[in-house]
């Protein structure tokens, strides 16, 4: 049993279970000042005002006590969209970008996703695991407690399965909660250019059945955008995935108003992600649906592209989730605290809205809102203690200061080794 006492502010406590927070409610953050938090068997069992802590009810000898000495406790970030299993890095393209080439132009020249596919093909599973584990430990130290990871740099049955097996091994090796997404339709591989329907057949008839059979993925994703996969192709792939129980989470409307949002909603996607090119039609389509609009401001920041209209979405009554998109091409960072800052500075979200978007709403976007995303009795004890901070708003404000002090996952204090 773990007791955290003298908490200056216990942030985002939930009394009544909710799946997500939408519209104007996103600006509300339930907090308790001068609080305690009690954890047992990896779960949050109780919390409240320090003065209401009745320590006699528990066996004092069996408790590890952490004195927060006036620091705050937050629920861990939930990062519902990453590609953090990848080989090597792509800083050469970064230079091309600085010189003025666009993301689409780099992709057309065989750079981009296809470049990562080549690097991944030439990296064995153990090496890929080692590289990815470093990124997992890095994001855990930044306060992330649950993460979704996609395949999509394999683009052949063998290499897609290699990626998904690495994700499975990561699940067993780390304390973070990990969800896995099959993204075979990330790009058409070189050898299928000019016969893309053959690649789609391969995804549908070979990859999906095998991946489902080996239980290697929770979700299915398609990069539904201009120059990648069309709405019709996306629908075909999502229907095939649904037959095998893979719920959709798709990349949509990053490069153009591609119809991706509409097809995502039609196919019952859990989330539609990116959404830089979103207008009224798309917002109306999302209203009343169960699909979480997920924004990835790290990608727009890194690529120097337009940001999605977060304010418009929230003011229309939608929920919004935020994720890092950690990947080698468009967002080589999994720092969710920086995502909070970008959301405030670039998307004009209030700190409270951004905190809700990186926790409970992003937990929903990976089907984890029953167990993660806020401080609630019975939920997984994935939390972090901050360094001394004056307010919660200080987190996004101090945008490069390391403010996560102690990370607790499944009720255990995590010790990080520096390499
Ligand atoms: O989410 N948009 C598609 N996929 C990734 C980028 C992948 C890459 O460039 O390697 C993204 O931004
Ligand atoms: Fe992505």
């Amino acid at each position: 049993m773990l007791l955290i006492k003298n908490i200056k502010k216990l942030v985002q406590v939930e009394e009544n279970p909710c799946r997500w927070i939408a519209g104007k409610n996103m600006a509300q953050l339930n907090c308790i000042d001068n609080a305690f938090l009690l954890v047992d068997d990896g779960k949050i069992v109780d919390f409240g005002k320090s003065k209401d802590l009745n320590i006699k009810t528990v066996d004092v000898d069996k408790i590890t006590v952490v004195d927060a000495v006036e620091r705050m406790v937050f629920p861990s970030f939930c990062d519902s969209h990453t590609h953090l299993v990848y080989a090597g890095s792509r800083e050469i393209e970064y230079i091309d970008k600085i010189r003025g080439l666009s993301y689409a132009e780099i992709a057309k020249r065989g750079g981009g996703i296809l470049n990562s596919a080549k690097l991944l093909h030439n990296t064995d599973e153990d090496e890929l695991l080692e590289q990815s584990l470093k990124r997992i430990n890095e994001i855990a130290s930044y306060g992330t407690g649950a993460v979704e990871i996609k395949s999509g740099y394999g683009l052949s049955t063998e290499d897609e399965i290699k990626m998904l097996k690495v994700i499975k091994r990561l699940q067993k090796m780390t304390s973070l909660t990990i969800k896995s997404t099959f993204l075979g339709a990330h790009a058409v591989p070189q050898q299928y250019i000019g016969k893309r329907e053959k690649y789609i057949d391969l995804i549908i008839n070979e990859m999906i059945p095998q991946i489902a059979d080996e239980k290697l993925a929770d979700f299915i994703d398609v990069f539904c955008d201009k120059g990648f996969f069309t709405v019709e192709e996306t629908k075909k792939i999502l229907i095939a995935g649904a037959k095998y129980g893979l719920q959709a989470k798709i990349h949509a409307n990053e490069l153009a108003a591609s119809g991706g949002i509409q097809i995502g909603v039609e196919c019952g996607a859990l989330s539609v992600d990116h959404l830089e090119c979103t207008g009224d039609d798309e917002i109306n389509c999302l209203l009343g649906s169960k699909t979480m609009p997920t924004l990835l401001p790290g990608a727009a920041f890194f690529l120097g592209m337009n940001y999605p209209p977060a304010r418009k979405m929230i003011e229309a009554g939608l929920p919004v989730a935020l994720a890092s998109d950690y990947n080698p091409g468009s967002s080589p960072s999994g720092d969710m605290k920086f995502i909070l800052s970008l959301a405030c500075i670039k998307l004009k979200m209030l700190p409270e809205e951004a905190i809700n978007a990186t926790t409970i709403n992003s937990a929903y976007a990976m089907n984890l809102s029953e167990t993660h995303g806020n401080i609630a009795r019975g939920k997984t004890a994935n939390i972090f203690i901050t360094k001394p901070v004056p307010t919660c708003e200080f987190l996004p404000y101090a945008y490069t200061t390391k403010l996560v002090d102690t990370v607790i996952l499944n009720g255990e204090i995590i010790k990080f080794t520096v390499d």
Side-chain angles (χ1 to χ4, degrees):
M1 199 171 252
L2 175 74
L3 169 69
I4 308 176
K5 63 175 192 175
N6 293 329
I7 302 170
K8 173 178 175 152
K9 195 183 272 292
L10 182 61
V11 179
Q12 225 202 11
V13 296
E14 177 193 79
E15 292 291 351
N16 303 310
C18 65
R19 288 183 307 173
W20 68 56
I21 302 178
K24 57 178 176 350
N25 292 335
M26 282 193 71
Q28 302 296 326
L29 205 55
N30 294 326
C31 301
I32 302 177
D33 291 337
N34 307 319
F36 75 90
L37 179 71
L38 200 56
V39 169
D40 193 20
D41 206 14
K43 303 265 187 289
I44 294 166
V45 288
D46 203 8
F47 55 82
K49 283 264 184 208
S50 292
K51 65 174 174 48
D52 297 330
L53 172 64
N54 185 359
I55 207 73
K56 281 179 225 104
T57 57
V58 282
D59 188 347
V60 185
D61 298 340
K62 291 198 187 115
I63 306 179
T64 306
V65 181
V66 173
D67 191 339
V69 273
E70 292 302 301
R71 291 165 301 155
M72 296 194 184
V73 170
F74 278 71
S76 297
F77 295 121
C78 294
D79 191 352
S80 63
H81 181 138
T82 82
H83 308 247
L84 71 72
V85 170
Y86 60 83
S89 55
R90 299 204 331 244
E91 61 276 25
I92 302 302
E93 292 170 23
Y94 173 64
I95 301 162
D96 287 343
K97 263 175 235 137
I98 294 168
R99 293 211 159 102
L101 287 192
S102 71
Y103 181 69
E105 281 163 343
I106 291 168
K108 244 193 185 134
R109 296 196 328 173
I113 296 163
L114 297 186
N115 188 4
S116 280
K118 208 186 300 159
L119 289 166
L120 187 126
H121 182 71
N122 295 325
T123 304
D124 72 29
E125 196 185 300
D126 288 346
E127 169 62 24
L128 189 60
L129 179 80
E130 202 176 303
Q131 292 185 21
S132 308
L133 185 59
K134 278 198 185 130
R135 296 182 196 118
I136 285 280
N137 289 333
E138 180 202 8
I139 64 168
S141 75
Y142 294 160
T144 295
V147 63
E148 179 257 18
I149 312 174
K150 301 174 194 294
S151 68
Y153 293 126
L155 309 181
S156 69
T157 307
E158 202 187 2
D159 287 344
E160 282 294 306
I161 286 180
K162 176 163 84 179
M163 290 187 78
L164 293 166
K165 282 197 169 147
V166 166
I167 301 173
K168 195 128 250 171
R169 287 171 70 186
L170 289 171
Q171 279 167 338
K172 297 205 177 97
M173 292 168 78
T174 73
S175 314
L176 270 97
T177 305
I178 299 179
K179 290 278 190 169
S180 165
T181 299
F182 167 56
L183 174 57
H186 199 190
V188 175
Q190 206 80 57
Q191 66 273 30
Y192 285 91
I193 290 173
K195 41 178 180 172
R196 52 190 294 120
E197 57 304 328
K198 292 250 171 348
Y199 183 59
I200 292 163
D201 285 348
L202 184 78
I203 291 175
I204 292 176
N205 299 321
E206 190 176 292
M207 294 187 191
I208 292 176
Q210 216 165 306
I211 285 160
D213 190 50
E214 295 184 42
K215 296 194 174 22
L216 287 172
D218 301 297
F219 307 115
I220 185 162
D221 196 340
V222 176
F223 188 5
C224 177
D225 224 317
K226 196 171 156 210
F228 289 85
F229 291 86
T230 66
V231 164
E232 293 70 33
E233 291 166 347
T234 302
K235 186 169 178 177
K236 225 171 131 182
I237 295 166
L238 296 187
I239 290 173
K243 278 199 197 122
Y244 286 89
L246 299 174
Q247 196 175 4
K249 278 174 63 62
I250 68 168
H251 284 73
N253 295 47
E254 177 185 7
L255 308 169
S258 55
I261 293 178
Q262 287 87 339
I263 199 64
V265 170
E266 187 187 320
C267 293
L270 187 58
S271 72
V272 285
D273 301 23
H274 270 294
L275 319 186
E276 284 81 355
C277 307
T278 298
D280 292 341
D281 288 349
E282 286 81 7
I283 289 178
N284 287 333
C285 168
L286 282 162
L287 279 167
S289 78
K290 292 191 172 121
T291 301
M292 178 62 69
T294 300
L295 312 182
L296 314 169
F301 171 75
F302 188 77
L303 299 176
M305 290 167 70
N306 289 335
Y307 288 88
R311 280 258 59 86
K312 222 174 147 180
M313 292 176 176
I314 295 170
E315 272 145 33
L318 285 175
V320 161
L322 290 162
S324 74
D325 198 14
Y326 195 174
N327 78 75
S330 67
S331 187
S333 163
D335 184 344
M336 288 295 278
K337 179 178 162 292
F338 183 57
I339 296 300
L340 275 186
S341 302
L342 282 180
C344 296
I345 299 162
K346 298 292 187 184
L347 304 181
K348 308 281 178 232
M349 289 172 71
L350 296 168
E352 293 79 3
E353 291 173 331
I355 292 168
N356 280 317
T358 49
T359 53
I360 187 67
N361 285 359
S362 49
Y364 175 85
M366 51 176 150
N367 231 348
L368 284 176
S369 56
E370 278 178 23
T371 50
H372 294 68
N374 56 21
I375 307 287
R377 290 175 186 87
K379 281 198 176 183
T380 303
N382 283 7
I383 57 178
F384 62 83
I385 306 175
T386 64
K387 298 224 164 99
V389 288
T391 57
C392 344
E393 290 85 348
F394 192 80
L395 250 70
Y397 161 81
Y399 74 99
T400 60
T401 310
K402 303 258 170 297
L403 293 174
V404 173
D405 186 59
T406 306
V407 169
I408 296 172
L409 296 174
N410 305 308
E412 302 284 336
I413 298 171
I414 305 297
K415 297 260 175 283
F416 294 102
T417 48
V418 187
D419 62 345

